[in-house]
């Protein structure tokens, strides 16, 4: 059965750490990411305040528990990442399948749109739009989703171009199948696994993008934390309390790396399937 | 182990290659699989040994072992390989490198992947020269390359020297590969399916080149192929392999007349014949065994018509033992093969001309194609657009329950014809009538309804089934699309093609090529079509499996009164299955008629050349072969007049004028597009 696979094992380890942080930590007694304690601010990792409360990862400028903050921020980031991936996957796969299956002018319009999308610097676009519609978790997820469909669209179209000439689709057509039938029954199931690979890769990109927007103050708004925002807040205290900026960076790294390795493991799995 | 004499008598006695008791294992985490078991053979100077076998028989693997090119998880576990008496199995990689290309070299199947697309061919051949002659100057290398190109019959070698592989046709590419293999005049040339990727007229040319270069250098050759006819014509001796073991070794000229192993006899009986009709092909039952789970005793016993379940066959593995002059065979009951074969030959004997049955008054044709045209716009330069005539004025009529064979080489438009008729491509002109109704005028939903009468089975059993669907769902698909799905109907269809309902629960990757093709046929039959278009439907299958599928198709036709359009490059199969035949060349039908008329008395020189190009074991050397010269002309710039005149040995001045119509001319009883058709009696030399 499944052989030991380094990228699989790494992915599992890294994502397990994230699961503990994002799901288990909030279930622990005393979890409260908003509780301020100005007297116990900027405690180092493993520090105790004057009441003898123990803080595994220390506290931030307002004396909030860093572990709890990191957990909540992780939930926010994961939520934004997942919804953005779902939005962009849906748009990208739909447009890609349509472009690849129907070819002709439809394809030209869709692929033109993709080129247009890529030619506009994404961060600038996001900054401009958030400045207008105002920053919020929903807006951020939607915007990130709407602007990152191109990768899915391109891959889906490329696969469709080769699949549509495959004989199982030709034979379905001779049996009187409609375009909708072919796309739903044949193209989508064959394209989807590849899309999950793209998705696991894009997920990391989106988390980083969210972090940079939050760092600029255009993402998640306080008191809701996000890793990017925590880095941004922590940079003023780099000398005094380096853990404020370093811990969220590490968390970010673990999550993104975890998904990279996951996408690698997926790819390998899919390759095996293609060979077999 | 040594043979007393050489079959042709002209070979020297100097051994070039001796393989003794060779066994190869694959070592995987799942366990050890014995891929090749106890193979022994010898090749002498000037001799050609043919190794024949179906896919998975271990024939290529054996020769890769000789070259020392086995993959990392493949191991030679026993035996010895001696090249001119020198043991090579224990040589280091560096020592083997000195032998490869110098003492022995290989020609692979697909010249497209053998050549590096970004290197000029002069450089690629030059590399082979330089590897073993590092002290050659640039000019010396170039001179040698030009010499080699000339040797393999390349026209314009100086000009060709600096061209890239994509500027060569398939046949020319294979000549380049041969030039590379012959660069250092090796003692042993290994040709692994050297012509399988090529058209039959080109195959004849390439085999000639191989024979010529060997004659010049005296190299011995091992010819690996699945094509019994090809080895019978080109080899001195034949070794037959099955499931990693050697079944039989015999003089090539005698293999068709006197096969000694039941497997060989079965293979021969399952081959469709080119020169006469046979009633029904023998089909070897079952499938090639899984090598990780070989049958006990004789590997062939589960499929054997002679040994079958007899105790020695089940229990004891037969050794390869001498059986008469120049022969060895691994069978407990090989004396009985001759009788079995004679019986098969009687059974197969030509039936009372079956074609006559359809000769009565012409009923309304079920399927009519009228002046079909298809042109593609091809972008030429930056601004220019060119037209490619893929189909030109193709017409035919077909009665219910009969089969039209469409033959031609690659690029002749036969697959385009299938796609146009199926409306997977829109025709540029013409009409198809199905049951008297215009098929081409349907649009949208009415087209989808009309389509169910015209179904298709494609060539590639791998890409024609969606790998993510279960077999039951695959066969149910047409029923679901058109409404009327029932599980019973699917099971009935599975039964039609000889599969059980349990097969429906599995997915395509679990099935072999032949089984997949059965599934594709079941799916095509789901909507009770009137017409089935079979586009190279048996071409990708092994010989024994091919016969099973052909027999299945014939049975289904008789049972369901199906009408077939059978598209194939394989003339023997077309002869066996068709009532009428149309021969295509560059998008046109150049000859049409009853199958016996066309095969027994071809009128068009191209048809004659096609027929003559097919390897035959019993070719009469005295009768000059009628060959098509050179390559297919560029379809973008076809010659004026008759499209075949550039390759036709009989072309005259008049052929340049007009493209001849497809009509019956003097001395022939069926239409052909040739101004000077060949007649039944007088075939000009």
């Amino acid at each position: 059965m499944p052989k030991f696979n380094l990228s699989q094992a790494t992915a599992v380890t890294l994502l397990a750490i994230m699961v503990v942080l994002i799901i288990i930590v909030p279930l622990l007694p005393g979890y409260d990411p908003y509780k301020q304690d100005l007297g116990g601010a900027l405690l180092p990792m493993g520090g105790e305040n004057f009441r003898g409360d123990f803080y595994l990862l220390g506290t931030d400028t307002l004396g909030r528990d860093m572990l709890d903050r990191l957990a909540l921020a992780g939930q926010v980031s994961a939520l934004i990442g997942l919804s953005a991936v779902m939005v962009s996957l849906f748009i990208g796969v739909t447009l890609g399948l349509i472009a690849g299956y129907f070819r002709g002018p439809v394809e030209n319009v869709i692929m033109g749109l993709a080129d247009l999308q890529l030619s506009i610097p994404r961060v600038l676009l996001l900054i401009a739009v958030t400045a207008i519609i105002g920053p919020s978790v929903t807006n951020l997820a939607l915007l990130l989703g709407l602007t990152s469909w191109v990768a899915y669209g391109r891959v889906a179209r490329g696969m469709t171009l080769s699949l549509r000439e495959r004989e199982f689709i030709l034979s379905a057509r001779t049996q009187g199948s409609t375009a909708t039938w072919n796309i739903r029954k044949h193209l989508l199931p064959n394209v989807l696994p590849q899309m999950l690979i793209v998705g696991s890769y894009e997920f990391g990109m989106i988390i980083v993008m969210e972090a940079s927007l939050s760092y600029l103050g255009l993402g998640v708004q306080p008191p809701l934390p996000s890793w990017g925002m925590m880095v941004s807040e922590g940079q003023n205290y780099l000398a005094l309390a380096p853990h404020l900026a370093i811990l969220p960076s590490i968390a970010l790294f673990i999550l993104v790396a975890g998904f990279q390795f996951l996408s690698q493991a997926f790819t390998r799995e899919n390759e095996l399937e293609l060979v077999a | 182990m040594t043979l007393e004499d050489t079959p042709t008598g002209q070979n020297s006695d100097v051994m070039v290659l001796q393989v003794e008791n060779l066994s190869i294992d694959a070592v995987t985490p799942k366990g050890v699989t014995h891929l090749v078991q106890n193979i022994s053979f010898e090749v002498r100077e000037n001799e050609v040994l043919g190794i024949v076998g179906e896919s998975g028989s271990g024939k290529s693997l054996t020769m890769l072992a000789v070259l020392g090119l086995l993959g990392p998880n493949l191991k030679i576990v026993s035996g010895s390989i001696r090249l001119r008496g020198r043991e090579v199995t224990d040589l280091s990689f560096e020592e083997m490198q000195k032998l490869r290309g110098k003492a022995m070299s290989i020609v692979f199947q697909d010249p497209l992947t053998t050549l590096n697309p970004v290197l000029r061919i002069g450089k690629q051949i030059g590399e082979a020269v330089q590897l073993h002659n590092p002290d050659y100057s640039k000019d010396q290398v170039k001179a040698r390359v030009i010499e080699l190109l000339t040797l393999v019959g390349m026209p314009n070698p100086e000009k060709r020297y600096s061209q890239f592989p994509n500027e060569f046709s398939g046949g020319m590419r294979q000549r380049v590969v041969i030039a590379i293999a012959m660069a250092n005049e090796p003692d042993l040339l290994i040709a692994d399916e050297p012509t399988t990727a090529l058209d039959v007229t080109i195959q004849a040319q390439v085999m000639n080149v191989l024979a010529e270069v060997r004659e010049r250098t005296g190299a011995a050759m091992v010819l690996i192929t699945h094509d019994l006819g090809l080895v019978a014509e080109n080899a001195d001796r034949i070794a037959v392999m099955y499931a990693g073991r050697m079944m039989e070794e015999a003089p090539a000229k005698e293999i068709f007349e006197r096969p000694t192993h039941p497997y060989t006899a079965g293979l021969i009986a399952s081959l469709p014949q080119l020169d006469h009709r046979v009633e029904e092909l023998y089909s070897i039952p079952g499938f090639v065994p899984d090598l990780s789970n070989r049958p006990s005793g004789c590997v062939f016993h589960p499929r054997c018509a002679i040994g079958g379940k007899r105790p020695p066959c089940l229990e004891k593995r037969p050794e390869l033992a001498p059986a008469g002059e120049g022969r060895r065979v691994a069978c407990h009951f090989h004396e009985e093969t001759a009788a079995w074969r004679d019986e098969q030959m009687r059974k197969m004997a030509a039936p009372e001309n079956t074609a006559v049955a359809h000769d009565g008054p012409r009923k309304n044709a079920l399927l009519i194609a009228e002046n079909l045209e298809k042109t593609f716009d091809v972008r030429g330069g930056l601004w220019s657009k060119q037209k490619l005539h893929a189909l030109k004025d193709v017409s035919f009529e077909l009665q219910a329950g009969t089969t039209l064979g469409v033959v031609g080489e690659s690029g002749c438009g036969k697959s385009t014809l299938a796609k146009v008729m199926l409306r997977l491509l829109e025709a540029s002109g013409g009409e198809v009538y199905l049951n008297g109704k215009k098929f081409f005028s349907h649009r949208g939903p009415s087209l989808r309804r009309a389509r169910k009468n015209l179904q298709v089975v494609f060539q590639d059993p791998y890409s024609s089934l969606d790998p993510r669907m279960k077999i039951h769902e695959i066969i149910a698909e047409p029923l679901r699309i058109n409404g009327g799905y029932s599980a019973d109907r699917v099971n009935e269809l599975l039964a039609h093609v000889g599969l059980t309902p349990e097969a429906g629960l599995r997915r395509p990757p679990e099935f072999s090529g032949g089984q997949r093709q059965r599934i594709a046929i079941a799916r095509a039959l789901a909507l009770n079509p009137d017409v089935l278009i079979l586009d190279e439907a048996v071409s990708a299958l092994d010989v024994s499996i091919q016969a099973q599928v052909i027999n299945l198709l014939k049975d289904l036709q008789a049972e369901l009164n199906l009408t077939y359009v059978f598209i194939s490059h394989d003339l023997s199969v077309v002869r066996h299955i068709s009532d009428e035949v149309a021969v295509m060349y560059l998008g046109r039908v150049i000859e049409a008629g009853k199958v016996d008329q066309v095969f027994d008395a071809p009128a068009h020189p191209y048809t004659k050349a096609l027929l003559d190009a097919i390897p035959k074991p019993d070719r009469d050397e005295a009768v000059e072969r009628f060959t098509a010269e050179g390559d297919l002309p560029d379809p973008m710039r076809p010659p004026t007049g008759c499209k075949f005149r550039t390759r036709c040995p009989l072309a005259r001045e008049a052929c340049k004028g007009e493209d001849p119509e497809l009509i019956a001319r003097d001395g022939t009883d069926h239409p052909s597009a040739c101004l000077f058709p060949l007649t039944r009696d007088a075939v000009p030399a």
Side-chain angles (χ1 to χ4, degrees):
Chain A
M1 273 321 285
K3 264 195 305 164
F4 180 76
N5 171 329
L6 192 63
S7 54
Q8 231 167 40
T10 323
V12 168
T13 320
L14 294 178
L15 293 177
I17 298 176
M18 274 300 122
V19 167
V20 170
L21 179 66
I22 294 176
I23 297 172
I24 311 281
V25 168
L27 298 177
L28 297 178
Y31 169 78
D32 187 353
Y34 297 114
K35 196 178 102 196
Q36 302 186 2
D37 175 13
L38 293 176
L42 294 179
L43 285 177
M45 292 204 279
E48 281 178 26
N49 66 4
F50 60 92
R51 280 193 293 273
D53 297 336
F54 174 78
Y55 291 98
L56 181 66
L57 298 181
T59 57
D60 70 358
T61 47
L62 298 176
R64 293 174 294 200
D65 187 344
M66 275 299 279
L67 181 64
D68 294 358
R69 295 290 286 173
L70 277 179
L72 181 61
Q75 287 178 343
V76 172
S77 292
L79 181 73
I80 292 176
L82 277 181
S83 19
V85 163
M86 283 198 302
V87 169
S88 54
L89 190 138
F90 178 78
I91 300 173
V93 170
T94 312
L95 291 181
L97 288 177
I98 290 174
Y101 189 78
F102 291 103
R103 314 285 327 255
V106 186
E107 184 184 22
N108 293 339
V109 169
I110 292 176
M111 294 332 283
L113 220 60
D115 292 339
L116 191 71
Q117 171 82 70
L118 285 187
S119 64
I120 305 172
R122 189 139 70 126
V123 180
L124 283 187
L125 180 74
L126 287 172
I127 291 174
V129 179
T130 4
I132 298 167
I133 63 171
S136 81
V137 171
T138 328
N139 285 353
L140 200 58
L142 268 179
L143 277 177
L144 285 168
L146 285 172
T147 52
S148 49
W149 63 275
V150 176
Y152 306 92
R154 288 233 164 119
V155 178
R157 168 179 162 272
M159 291 186 72
T160 307
L161 286 185
S162 77
L163 283 168
R164 76 193 286 275
E165 299 300 326
R166 291 278 283 274
E167 285 148 357
F168 58 84
I169 299 213
L170 295 184
S171 99
R173 282 172 63 196
T174 66
Q175 291 147 8
S177 66
T178 56
T180 331
W181 176 282
N182 291 338
I183 291 177
R184 224 185 53 213
K185 297 278 181 179
H186 292 296
L187 291 174
L188 191 61
N190 277 292
V191 164
L192 216 49
Q194 201 71 30
M195 290 300 111
L196 292 181
I197 296 174
V198 179
S200 55
Y201 169 80
E202 284 279 312
F203 182 81
M205 306 285 291
I206 284 188
I207 300 266
V208 172
M209 185 74 72
E210 180 272 325
S212 19
L213 284 177
S214 298
Y215 175 86
L216 293 171
L218 289 167
V220 177
Q221 294 304 301
L224 205 58
S226 102
W227 290 336
M229 202 169 73
M230 290 171 76
V231 176
S232 137
E233 285 172 359
Q235 68 174 347
N236 297 329
Y237 301 90
L238 266 184
L240 192 63
H243 68 285
L244 290 194
I246 291 174
L247 282 176
S249 307
I250 292 176
L252 194 60
F253 167 78
I254 292 179
L255 184 64
V256 174
F259 268 87
Q260 294 289 335
F261 280 111
L262 185 71
S263 101
Q264 241 179 58
F266 268 149
T267 316
R268 200 153 304 167
E269 201 97 312
N270 222 42
E271 267 167 13
L272 286 182
E273 200 169 302
L274 289 178
V275 170
Chain B
M1 202 59 71
T2 43
L3 295 163
E4 281 77 48
D5 66 341
T6 56
T8 51
Q10 49 177 282
N11 300 314
S12 79
D13 282 332
V14 183
M15 293 291 178
V16 174
L17 176 70
Q18 290 161 286
V19 173
E20 228 169 276
N21 205 25
L22 179 72
S23 298
I24 303 170
D25 281 2
V27 186
T28 61
K30 280 185 197 160
V32 175
T33 308
H34 309 296
L35 295 179
V36 168
Q37 290 185 313
N38 311 90
I39 300 287
S40 305
F41 59 86
E42 293 157 348
V43 191
R44 294 173 176 79
E45 265 180 1
N46 287 318
E47 192 187 33
V48 180
L49 172 73
I51 301 187
V52 196
E54 296 179 275
S55 40
S57 62
K59 54 192 192 300
S60 295
L61 212 55
T62 306
M63 294 321 289
L64 282 181
V66 169
L67 283 164
L69 290 176
L70 287 180
N73 56 350
L74 299 176
K75 290 254 160 10
I76 295 178
V77 284
S78 76
S80 83
I81 300 170
R82 284 196 299 280
L83 194 67
R84 287 218 178 270
R86 183 182 178 196
E87 180 65 44
V88 297
T89 45
D90 46 18
L91 289 187
S92 70
F93 191 80
E94 286 73 22
E95 285 170 308
M96 278 310 283
Q97 253 172 352
K98 288 191 191 115
L99 289 181
R100 281 195 291 262
K102 178 89 183 154
M104 54 189 169
S105 60
I106 186 162
V107 174
F108 286 109
Q109 171 173 351
D110 189 353
L112 191 62
T113 51
T114 311
L115 295 174
N116 184 340
V118 297
L119 287 185
R120 295 175 199 278
I121 64 119
K123 184 153 169 56
Q124 299 197 42
I125 305 173
E127 266 180 4
V129 175
Q130 250 170 338
L131 264 177
H132 296 280
N133 302 290
D135 47 338
Y136 268 29
S137 73
K138 254 188 182 168
D139 290 340
Q140 274 176 309
V141 171
K142 177 159 184 181
R144 173 70 181 143
V145 170
I146 304 262
E147 187 190 335
L148 283 165
L149 282 173
T150 318
L151 179 72
V152 295
M154 180 78 65
N156 273 330
E158 270 90 5
K159 186 176 157 234
R160 291 301 214 170
Y161 180 87
S162 50
Q163 288 184 329
F164 288 99
N166 65 328
E167 297 173 76
F168 290 71
S169 67
M172 286 298 156
R173 278 193 203 119
Q174 198 61 306
R175 285 172 200 243
V176 173
V177 176
I178 294 172
I180 293 174
M182 296 308 290
N184 297 294
E185 311 207 336
D187 295 335
L188 176 68
L189 181 63
I190 298 166
D192 189 353
E193 304 267 9
T195 57
T196 308
L198 305 174
D199 279 320
V200 62
T201 55
I202 308 297
Q203 163 172 297
Q205 295 173 2
V206 168
M207 289 315 295
N208 275 341
V209 169
L210 275 174
E212 277 163 27
V213 296
R214 283 198 321 102
E215 203 167 304
R216 281 272 303 271
T217 65
M221 179 161 85
V222 175
L223 174 63
I224 303 171
T225 178
H226 67 284
D227 186 340
L228 270 168
L230 187 75
V231 272
E233 189 177 297
N234 291 287
D236 299 307
R237 280 183 301 121
I238 291 186
V240 181
M241 286 184 70
Y242 177 78
R245 291 187 194 160
M246 225 164 116
M247 298 282 113
E248 162 161 25
E249 183 182 315
K253 302 288 173 233
E254 296 172 23
I255 195 91
F256 273 83
E257 289 311 311
R258 286 204 305 123
T260 34
H261 197 283
Y263 172 61
T264 323
L267 273 187
I268 290 167
S270 61
L271 282 177
Q273 298 297 309
L274 185 64
D275 43 11
H276 60 272
R277 264 173 178 266
V278 297
E279 177 65 41
E280 198 190 357
L281 298 176
Y282 172 72
S283 71
I284 302 177
F287 302 100
V288 175
D290 179 5
L291 291 186
S292 58
N293 189 16
R294 267 200 193 76
S296 63
C298 172
V299 267
F300 186 60
H301 85 253
R303 306 178 71 191
C304 185
I306 295 170
K309 299 278 179 289
R310 291 198 224 177
C313 302
L314 288 171
E315 288 152 18
K316 193 164 159 283
R317 178 174 155 188
E319 296 295 328
L320 198 62
E325 208 173 285
R327 286 167 172 271
R328 292 186 297 159
V329 62
C331 176
H332 296 300
F333 300 104
H334 65 86
E335 310 84 14
E336 297 174 29
T337 309
W340 181 84
R341 181 190 139 79
D342 291 344
E343 192 197 324
Q344 287 304 314
M345 284 298 146
R346 266 199 306 282
K347 273 195 205 160
M348 284 170 67
E352 299 304 311
N353 209 345
T354 48
V356 177
H358 308 294
D359 240 6
R362 285 237 150 190
K363 289 171 287 180
N364 287 338
L366 178 78
L367 178 72
I368 304 173
E370 217 175 62
N371 311 104
L372 291 180
E373 301 269 341
K374 177 69 195 174
T375 52
F376 291 103
D377 287 329
V378 182
R379 203 162 293 172
L382 199 49
W383 284 284
S384 65
K385 250 189 187 173
Q386 284 177 300
K387 289 211 180 304
L388 175 75
H389 287 268
L391 287 183
K392 228 176 147 189
D393 197 19
V394 174
S395 304
F396 58 81
E397 286 186 11
L398 199 53
Q399 309 291 320
T402 66
T403 301
L404 170 73
V406 179
V407 291
E409 296 178 287
S410 47
C412 74
K414 53 191 195 302
S415 285
T416 309
L417 175 66
K419 286 191 176 164
V420 164
M421 290 179 61
L422 290 160
R423 294 198 60 183
L424 293 170
L425 285 174
E426 286 304 310
S428 312
E431 181 63 71
V432 165
Y433 297 89
L434 192 59
N435 287 317
K437 296 197 195 73
K438 287 187 176 181
F439 183 57
F440 278 6
S441 49
H442 289 290
R443 291 279 173 274
S446 94
L447 170 63
R448 287 200 287 275
R449 278 193 301 279
R451 277 190 144 152
K452 66 171 196 275
N453 284 323
L454 191 62
Q455 292 288 299
V456 63
V457 178
F458 290 107
Q459 168 173 11
D460 185 353
Y462 290 86
S463 88
S464 60
L465 307 179
D466 190 335
R468 292 181 194 277
M469 284 165 82
K470 288 191 174 137
I471 303 304
H472 188 93
E473 287 306 308
I474 286 172
I475 296 175
E477 187 181 16
L479 302 171
R480 291 194 200 277
I481 289 171
N482 291 276
Y485 163 77
S486 80
D488 289 343
R489 173 71 178 142
V490 174
N491 291 337
E492 183 193 355
L493 288 163
L494 277 168
H496 264 318
V497 296
L499 293 169
T500 58
E502 286 73 49
L505 303 175
R506 295 186 279 153
R507 284 175 213 276
E510 297 176 51
F511 292 88
S512 67
Q515 288 169 313
R516 285 165 187 238
Q517 211 58 328
R518 287 165 188 267
I519 294 162
I521 292 170
R523 176 179 59 188
L525 292 175
L527 299 173
N528 283 321
D530 297 322
V531 180
L532 214 52
I533 295 183
L534 303 154
D535 186 359
E536 300 273 11
V538 299
S539 305
L541 306 176
D542 273 325
V543 178
S544 70
I545 306 301
Q546 175 177 300
Q548 292 176 2
V549 175
I550 291 172
N551 286 344
L552 172 69
L553 286 171
K554 286 204 119 184
D555 292 347
L556 288 170
Q557 180 168 43
E559 199 179 320
L560 306 169
N561 197 34
L562 289 167
T563 308
Y564 291 154
V565 177
F566 190 89
I567 296 171
S568 178
H569 70 280
D570 187 332
L571 282 94
S572 316
V573 174
V574 167
R575 165 143 215 180
H576 178 69
I577 204 165
S578 310
D579 301 296
E580 314 219 2
V581 67
V583 184
M584 290 186 70
Y585 187 76
L586 279 186
R588 282 198 63 190
V589 175
I590 51 101
E591 178 161 3
K594 296 258 171 289
V595 70
D596 292 337
Q597 287 173 335
V598 174
F599 279 80
D600 293 340
H604 199 287
Y606 176 62
T607 313
K608 174 85 174 143
L610 269 185
L611 289 168
D612 274 11
I614 293 172
K616 290 177 203 69
D618 47 357
R619 180 179 299 287
D620 187 350
E621 300 291 342
V623 179
E624 178 117 10
R625 229 196 252 210
F626 194 87
T627 53
E629 297 148 9
D631 280 320
L632 202 67
D634 179 0
M636 304 293 299
R637 276 177 291 284
T640 59
C642 172
K643 302 285 174 270
F644 184 60
R645 71 173 170 82
T646 50
R647 302 177 67 192
C648 183
L650 305 176
R652 309 175 201 183
E653 198 55 33
C655 301
K656 291 185 183 169
E658 213 175 298
D659 205 359
E661 282 179 82
L662 182 69
I663 47 170
R665 290 183 176 76
D666 289 351
T668 63
D669 48 2
H670 61 279
S672 70
C674 180
L675 293 176
F676 310 102
L678 307 166
T679 53
R680 187 177 281 270
D681 317 310
V683 176

